[in-house]
Amino acid sequence: MDASRWWAVVVFAALPSSGAGGESPEAPPQSWTQLWFFRFFLNVAGYASFMVPGYLLVQYLRRKNYLETGRGLCFPLVKACVFGNEPKASDEVPLAPRTETADSSPSWQVLKLIFCASGLQVSYLTWGVLQERVMTGSYGATATSPGEHFMDSQFLVLMNRVLALIVAGLYCVLRKQPRHGAPMYRYSFASLSNVLSSWCQYEALKFVSFPTQVLAKASKVIPVMMMGKLVSRRSYEHWEYLTAGLISIGVSMFLLSSGPEPRSSPATTLSGLILLAGYIAFDSFTSNWQDALFAYKMSSVQMMFGVNLFSCLFTVGSLLEQGALLEGARFMGRHSEFALHALLLSICSAFGQLFIFYTIGQFGAAVFTIIMTLRQAIAILLSCLLYGHTVTVVGGLGVAVVFTALLLRVYARGRKQRGKKVVPTEPPVQKV
């Protein structure tokens, strides 16, 4: 196949297909500038316009030994951003391990577990349903007009990050935190990968169904392990490789047994698979980079604040450079329903993260993982009921294999840690 045919295949794959909710296909883009891969590289160029000068400035200040020679009003700010602050022993606020108080009755523990599980389920199930509605539905439809679709995933990422930044900032002000020691610029790497993973996640819903996206998230165990070996030099046991293989088999069964969507053909396309692969790769880097940053003894909320701070700077700057910030605001002004949906998405995203911290602090990572695994299964069921997706028998078996493998990972990890004194660790912050 010659070069022109390869280019035609790529362009065809980038065209928007029918919505995951089974709606009629949208009209083809007016120009090549609306293709997803063009918007992706445009976003990356916008982020690079901040990252590259910032990185060069950090390297310059380090070479000039600014920490020893710098003076003036800007010195504290530069020190915090470039060099960080080594916390003193008296300044450290230890992260309390998960302990059960003597007066904590079994009934009270059950009530707290119900509260945590309900909070996580409501936050993330609502988030999933709204995400699919925003990215696949139309707004302003009338008897004579089909309405218009919201197209700018980056604007939606910005809204989520702004509210998360506000919530994390208020929490840090109201609750005493460990003295911050990490150089602020180090958050920018996790922030960049997090913004790109979120963009890929939203954009993928234009091409693939929501159940497919959920299973793709479950399969990110495999690239996370790969990133762990590359970034953190970790080693894994045989059962971890076994469960990762079962997950990949289950996902393959689901994808290869796609049933017909009602009112349209299946939404899974080459573009959707590429975007899901991008989401998994960027998200895997984010979690491993955050895990390395926790060596600075920060709290999860401090991590949440730092990552979302840079995310807001990147997305606002990129949207301004593209002239898309005002267009997104105008879309909200034209469609109050979209404004409500976007606000609820942001609320679910921000408060869902707080439920993550509280649940792990009270009951540990194993209970949290079980709750979130069940949430993924319920999310697939809800999406099928609300948006008319169909799942074949083989696809259903694939889903069962995936979630069985995830629960086996929880069980095996629990057996490994049983009888050992486990040092509490902080989870990655960005879950959505």
Side-chain angles (χ1 to χ4, degrees):
M1 183 180 291
D2 57 27
S4 62
R5 291 182 179 179
W6 274 112
W7 178 249
V9 170
V10 173
V11 171
F12 177 77
L15 297 178
S17 63
S18 61
E23 299 181 2
S24 59
E26 300 175 41
Q30 297 298 319
S31 67
W32 63 276
T33 59
Q34 296 183 25
L35 300 178
W36 69 263
F37 59 82
F38 177 81
R39 295 197 305 274
F40 174 81
F41 286 114
L42 198 63
N43 293 344
V44 170
Y47 306 147
S49 67
F50 294 92
M51 283 286 291
V52 173
Y55 178 79
L56 294 177
L57 179 61
V58 168
Q59 296 303 312
Y60 172 78
L61 292 173
R62 286 182 173 276
R63 286 198 306 269
K64 292 295 183 179
N65 197 19
Y66 184 85
L67 188 61
E68 301 294 334
T69 61
R71 295 291 184 271
L73 295 177
C74 296
F75 178 76
L77 178 62
V78 174
K79 180 183 178 183
C81 292
V82 179
F83 301 97
N85 299 289
E86 290 295 332
K88 301 175 182 178
S90 59
D91 294 327
E92 293 184 356
V93 178
L95 298 173
R98 180 172 59 91
T99 57
E100 297 183 5
T101 57
D103 59 345
S104 181
S105 63
S107 59
W108 179 243
Q109 287 294 103
V110 170
L111 288 176
K112 285 198 296 185
L113 179 59
I114 293 175
F115 171 73
C116 292
S118 301
L120 288 169
Q121 298 290 352
V122 170
S123 296
Y124 286 109
L125 288 176
T126 304
W127 177 85
V129 170
L130 287 174
Q131 179 190 205
E132 188 167 11
R133 168 65 181 89
V134 169
M135 298 309 300
T136 65
S138 62
Y139 291 93
T142 62
T144 59
S145 173
E148 57 180 330
H149 288 255
F150 178 74
M151 301 300 296
D152 196 343
S153 300
Q154 187 176 211
F155 184 82
L156 207 57
V157 173
L158 171 62
M159 291 200 63
N160 290 347
R161 298 302 176 259
V162 167
L163 188 57
L165 177 67
I166 294 173
V167 170
L170 290 175
Y171 192 95
C172 289
V173 171
L174 297 176
R175 297 289 299 271
K176 187 176 182 181
Q177 302 293 316
R179 184 181 178 186
H180 191 266
M184 289 296 295
Y185 83 92
R186 291 180 63 84
Y187 289 108
S188 63
F189 300 101
S191 176
L192 178 62
S193 60
N194 177 252
V195 167
L196 291 173
S197 69
S198 298
W199 185 88
C200 289
Q201 175 180 270
Y202 284 123
E203 197 74 10
L205 281 178
K206 299 176 183 178
F207 304 95
V208 301
S209 64
F210 184 77
T212 301
Q213 189 192 77
V214 172
L215 285 187
K217 292 181 183 180
S219 67
K220 73 180 183 181
V221 169
I222 302 168
V224 165
M225 291 173 61
M226 295 174 61
M227 285 288 184
K229 291 186 71 69
L230 294 175
V231 177
S232 305
R233 302 288 187 236
R234 289 181 177 176
S235 59
Y236 298 96
E237 299 189 12
H238 297 297
W239 61 266
E240 293 179 284
Y241 290 108
L242 173 63
T243 54
L246 288 175
I247 290 172
S248 64
I249 292 173
V251 172
S252 300
M253 290 172 62
F254 179 83
L255 294 178
L256 295 176
S257 63
S258 56
E261 291 280 339
R263 302 183 302 277
S264 67
S265 60
T268 303
T269 64
L270 176 61
S271 285
L273 296 178
I274 294 173
L275 288 166
L276 286 177
Y279 159 74
I280 293 171
F282 290 126
D283 191 68
S284 301
F285 176 85
T286 301
S287 59
N288 280 280
W289 189 269
Q290 286 178 328
D291 187 56
L293 276 180
F294 276 122
Y296 286 96
K297 309 298 182 183
M298 68 185 67
S299 70
S300 292
V301 183
Q302 287 174 320
M303 173 74 76
M304 179 178 172
F305 181 85
V307 171
N308 283 293
L309 175 63
F310 279 97
S311 297
C312 290
L313 294 175
F314 289 153
T315 50
V316 167
S318 179
L319 286 168
L320 286 175
E321 290 176 356
Q322 299 176 34
L325 186 61
L326 289 179
E327 180 55 36
R330 292 191 190 102
F331 191 95
M332 292 182 64
R334 291 195 301 269
H335 306 290
S336 58
E337 185 184 9
F338 167 76
L340 177 62
H341 289 167
L343 177 61
L344 289 176
L345 266 176
S346 302
I347 292 174
C348 292
S349 175
F351 284 92
Q353 292 181 49
L354 296 182
F355 272 108
I356 289 174
F357 307 148
Y358 184 74
T359 302
I360 293 178
Q362 293 293 317
F363 300 101
V367 172
F368 164 74
T369 304
I370 293 173
I371 293 173
M372 295 302 283
T373 301
L374 294 175
R375 189 270 302 181
Q376 291 175 317
I378 297 173
I380 291 179
L381 178 61
L382 271 180
S383 180
C384 292
L385 292 176
L386 294 177
Y387 298 106
H389 303 298
T390 58
V391 179
T392 64
V393 174
V394 177
L397 289 175
V399 174
V401 169
V402 170
F403 290 113
T404 300
L406 292 175
L407 293 175
L408 282 176
R409 288 181 68 86
V410 177
Y411 174 75
R413 188 175 289 111
R415 283 182 60 88
K416 177 183 177 182
Q417 295 179 350
R418 190 173 301 163
K420 296 181 180 180
K421 185 177 180 181
V422 181
V423 179
T425 58
E426 294 293 326
V429 174
Q430 300 298 134
K431 293 291 177 182
V432 296

